[in-house]
Amino acid sequence: MDGWATTSAIRRMPQFADLPIIALTAKVMQGDREKSIASGASDYVPKPVDVDRLLERLRGWLTRGKPAGDSDEGA
């Protein structure tokens, strides 16, 4: 199973409906972010990984349930 299929399988399990899933991928071709999100990923971080960006995203999803720095933050 690839990451997209795995993410889709996880999302079909009711107990993981709200689990933040961040796709870390070397696939940075046009449309890959959208495909990751469509498969059920909460967010997408391309490789090589910017550790500060990854930690920011993890903090955002774990503390607020959405990405840190999201444009609707505070709404």
Side-chain angles (χ1 to χ4, degrees):
M1 238 192 279
D2 66 16
W4 293 317
T6 302
T7 301
S8 293
I10 292 168
R11 286 294 182 224
R12 286 192 298 271
M13 298 177 204
Q15 69 269 36
F16 298 124
D18 296 326
L19 178 72
I21 298 174
I22 299 176
L24 292 175
T25 181
K27 290 186 161 271
V28 290
M29 296 177 66
Q30 186 174 9
D32 285 336
R33 180 184 192 287
E34 292 76 14
K35 189 169 182 178
S36 294
I37 300 300
S39 73
S42 309
D43 211 333
Y44 172 93
V45 176
K47 292 178 185 175
V49 174
D50 175 334
V51 175
D52 291 330
R53 179 178 179 191
L54 175 59
L55 292 174
E56 173 187 303
R57 294 312 214 177
L58 286 168
R59 267 193 296 284
W61 283 105
L62 294 174
T63 60
R64 290 184 292 283
K66 62 180 180 180
D70 230 10
S71 60
D72 65 346
E73 189 171 350

